[in-house]
Structure formats: structure tokens, C-alpha cells
Amino acid sequence: MNACREDESISKSYDVIVVGAGSMGMSAGYELAARGAKPLLIDAFNPPHNMGSHHGEPRLIRHAYHGGDTYVKMALRADEKWLALERATGEKLLERSGVLNMAETSFYDYKGRLGDAMRNGVQVELLQADEINRRFPGIRLDDSFQGMYEPNAGYLYSEKCIAAYKQQALLAGAELLVDTFVTDIRADEGGVTVYTREEAYTASQVVITVGAWFHMLSNHVKLPIRAVRKVVGWFETSSTAFDAGTFPGFTWGGALGGYYGFPSISGAGIKIGRHDTGVEWLPGEPIAPFGAYPEDEDDLRRALHAFVPGAAGKLLQSAVCKYEFTPDEDFIIDAHPEHPNVLLAGGFSGHGFKFASVIGEILANKLEKKQTGYDLRIFELSRFSSQ
């Protein structure tokens, strides 16, 4: 057992215990400590790490979002809070590269998203294929594609974000146990006890936000979350047209699948990943390295050839991470159905990291029985009651 505050002994009683100190958990821990609570954060590894969903920078942040006003308002608030974290730490966390979303019109229509964005004051443009090709040299789209461009969107340095929240949480008085597996969680009206292999810790409330590892706690909470192995690759580019500062973050979708990616940052090459598909993974099992399946590189390269052929060069770097999907790909933010002092937060992968800053605020507000300011009904567990 390792305690990040080695100058003080870890006590055993807290106001709140946060199980899982990754993207959402670390943000929540900071929010709670900054408000004067006494939180304990427990993580099976030492964040930031490569055993979850937050490694392999960067992550897109967009504001013109699918899913309606709730997501758009949360994305805008998340942006504000990332900037506040930048100011607090002096660390550059957010780059406003712009984000260009591209899709075959037979697969996706951006009109609904545009309406939600405009109602919330998000600057956004609807672009036809010829205009995209003209404005972004290197992209090659035919007339079956349409695009939506957000000039004020961009990307976050995910591992730096986790490290920044970790620093601020500890400065605010949070305690953090790393490399510590939780073996049991027991809740009743009197409080919650969280057991590790070495100790037991008590609190009046607990937040469980363990990402792709929820299956490890299936004896205590069963959520409709599926963990999936995902791969990303960085590919050599043929010109400076793909460099950061010139090329935007992007999404691209159609008959070949759904993809996302980033410009070449400091010569690292264009980063691209596939959002759909993936091999199911059970927590605790080995995860196959990049290249274990032919499609690991083939799928990514096929997409690059289709719309940015000048960025389909040599594979420079690769990574494997984990998604945690709900059936509808919306988040879970809700109390345990049997224990109101157990708050559950999961199903964030694929599009959740950008929201980590505001999710921490939402979780802290819910624990304090405060209004969150958002309609969170789309994240309630009751939507799965028929399954």
C-alpha cells in the first residue's frame, strides 16, 4: 500500500471515499477537498497511468455535441473548468486547434447538433466537401461528405490534466492511496466501508468511478458497462499541412466506420483511432498489444488513405487502451439503487474525457445534495430497467 502523503499517516475515517482516481475520480476528489471535505481517493494503480482510458494524449474537446442541451451545457462548463485548472497550475492543458467533424450524409446529418449548439452560443459552421478540401489542404473528401467545424474546440493533454488535478487535490487536503486494490465495499444506512487487501476505511458516502474495471466489483454493483480493447496509432505525414497549429482535431465517419484524430504535435505524426468496433476485454485479463490483430493497423490506415492520404505514412507509434461502453453510450451518473450513499459514475469512454472537469463538480454537488444545474435524467440507471 502506497500513500501519496507519506509525511502523514493515513487515517481510516473520511467524509467521502472515491474508489477509482482516474479522470472523473481525481476531479471529484479535488472538488470535494477544495470545498473543505475530507476525501480519500483509492486507485489500483498510480495515476496518471496506462491501465485505464486516459493515457496516450491527447483527447478532443468539443462543444457542439450530440445528445442535446445537457451535453452542450456540460461541455461549455467543462471548458471553463479546464481553463481554471490551467490558471491554478500554470500548466498548458487545452489547445484550441479547432475540430472538424466529417461524415457521409447518408450516415449522419449535423443539423440537429447545429441547432443545439447555436441555442447555447457555440460558434459552429456547416461546410460542404469542396469547402473543407479548400480550407484544409491535405483532406480529400468527395461530394458525399459534409462537415461541421468548431473553431473554438480543440484537444486536451489528458495525462497532464490528471496530473494537474492530482496536484491540486493533494494541495487541497485530499489523501490518495495508489497501487491499492479495493476488494470489498459494504454500505448501509450508517455509512460505507471500503476494504483493501491491507485495511478497511469508512466514510458516510462513497463514489465508485473505476472506468473499464467495473467488472472487478460486480459482486457489489452490476452495471451495463462493457469494456473493450481499443488501439490508436501515430502515422508519418508528408507535409506541414498536418501539423498542429494548421490542422484541426477531427472526426470522420461513414461506410468504413467511425474515427477520430489529431494533428501532428511536435512531429509525432497524425494520431487516429477508431470509435466503433473493438475486442471485448475482461478486467484482470492480459490485454493484447498493438498488432496482435491485423485490423489494428489496417483499419486505421484504410481510413487515412480514404480522406488524408498524405498522412498515411509509416506507423511511428502505437498504443492500446480501454473503452467502457454503456449500451446507449450515454454516461451513468446515479445513486446505487439500494444504497443512496453510494454514487456511481461510469460508461465515459469514447467521448467522456473532455467532461472530466465538470463531472467532478457534478459528483461533488450530488454528494452535497446541491443542484447540479443540468438535466441528468439521461444518465440515470432507470433507463436500463427493461434490460
Side-chain angles (χ1 to χ4, degrees):
M1 178 179 68
N2 293 320
C4 278
R5 297 186 66 189
E6 295 181 359
D7 57 319
E8 298 178 22
S9 60
I10 297 291
S11 67
K12 295 184 181 180
S13 181
Y14 297 86
D15 297 322
V16 181
I17 297 174
V18 180
V19 179
S23 309
M24 313 303 163
M26 196 69 78
S27 171
Y30 162 71
E31 287 284 343
L32 291 162
R35 299 177 187 198
K38 182 184 177 184
L40 172 66
L41 287 67
I42 306 177
D43 200 88
F45 308 100
N46 192 351
H49 53 70
N50 63 1
M51 298 301 292
S53 303
H54 64 249
H55 71 287
E57 330 226 41
R59 296 292 186 275
L60 292 176
I61 179 166
R62 300 172 288 143
H63 313 111
Y65 222 74
H66 66 276
D69 277 357
T70 295
Y71 275 113
V72 177
K73 292 179 186 299
M74 286 171 56
L76 291 168
R77 177 59 176 162
D79 193 294
E80 293 175 0
K81 292 190 69 61
W82 290 123
L83 294 182
L85 186 60
E86 280 193 342
R87 292 191 295 269
T89 61
E91 184 76 55
K92 183 66 174 173
L93 304 175
L94 192 161
E95 300 282 1
R96 296 208 186 277
S97 64
V99 172
L100 176 63
N101 302 276
M102 300 164 279
E104 287 186 86
T105 55
S106 60
F107 282 81
Y108 192 81
D109 187 338
Y110 291 111
K111 290 179 182 177
R113 253 209 265 183
L114 283 167
D116 292 336
M118 293 172 70
R119 280 195 305 275
N120 287 282
V122 177
Q123 187 178 350
V124 64
E125 300 176 71
L126 186 65
L127 302 177
Q128 302 307 313
D130 59 348
E131 177 67 5
I132 293 171
N133 294 338
R134 185 185 67 79
R135 288 174 58 174
F136 301 98
I139 296 179
R140 299 289 182 266
L141 298 180
D142 63 38
D143 290 341
S144 66
F145 278 82
Q146 193 177 60
M148 184 183 69
Y149 180 60
E150 272 192 80
N152 294 323
Y155 52 86
L156 294 155
Y157 297 112
S158 54
E159 293 173 52
K160 290 182 181 179
C161 289
I162 301 292
Y165 265 131
K166 180 179 180 178
Q167 176 203 76
Q168 293 300 296
L170 295 175
L171 286 173
E175 294 183 10
L176 172 63
L177 290 177
V178 300
D179 301 317
T180 303
F181 274 83
V182 168
T183 58
D184 198 3
I185 299 172
R186 299 179 189 176
D188 57 33
E189 293 180 0
V192 181
T193 302
V194 176
Y195 295 86
T196 71
R197 291 167 180 166
E198 295 86 8
E199 297 286 353
Y201 304 93
T202 62
S204 57
Q205 300 179 95
V206 66
V207 181
I208 306 176
T209 176
V210 293
W213 294 80
F214 260 104
H215 185 76
M216 297 290 282
L217 296 174
S218 60
N219 288 339
H220 317 294
V221 56
K222 287 183 169 62
L223 297 181
I225 289 176
R226 183 171 62 99
V228 176
R229 171 189 177 273
K230 306 296 287 188
V231 299
V232 294
W234 288 256
F235 291 81
E236 188 175 45
T237 63
S238 63
S239 76
T240 58
F242 302 102
D243 287 355
T246 301
F247 202 73
F250 61 86
T251 66
W252 182 87
L256 289 180
Y259 296 82
Y260 63 92
F262 306 85
S264 178
I265 302 169
S266 302
I270 269 196
K271 177 187 175 183
I272 186 170
R274 185 167 182 175
H275 176 73
D276 55 342
T277 71
V279 178
E280 195 155 340
W281 172 77
L282 285 177
E285 291 188 352
I287 191 162
F290 187 97
Y293 304 92
E295 60 267 28
D296 286 353
E297 182 173 348
D298 291 351
D299 281 356
L300 304 181
R301 190 172 291 281
R302 188 179 302 115
L304 292 171
H305 278 299
F307 78 103
V308 281
K314 181 173 63 176
L315 178 67
L316 300 176
Q317 183 184 347
S318 62
V320 177
C321 63
K322 307 165 189 74
Y323 267 20
E324 30 140 350
F325 282 120
T326 62
D328 57 13
E329 295 192 25
D330 286 324
F331 310 148
I332 293 171
I333 305 173
D334 203 358
H336 190 288
E338 298 175 6
H339 304 291
N341 53 354
V342 177
L343 185 56
L344 306 171
F348 295 106
S349 290
H351 66 121
F353 185 87
K354 66 182 71 65
F355 295 102
S357 58
V358 71
I359 295 295
E361 181 177 61
I362 288 170
L363 295 174
N365 283 339
K366 287 181 74 68
L367 290 166
E368 293 182 344
K369 306 297 188 290
K370 293 180 178 178
Q371 294 295 315
T372 65
Y374 310 97
D375 183 353
L376 301 180
R377 286 175 294 179
I378 59 172
F379 306 136
E380 291 178 354
L381 281 166
S382 59
R383 73 187 194 269
F384 303 118
S385 59
S386 63
Q387 299 180 17

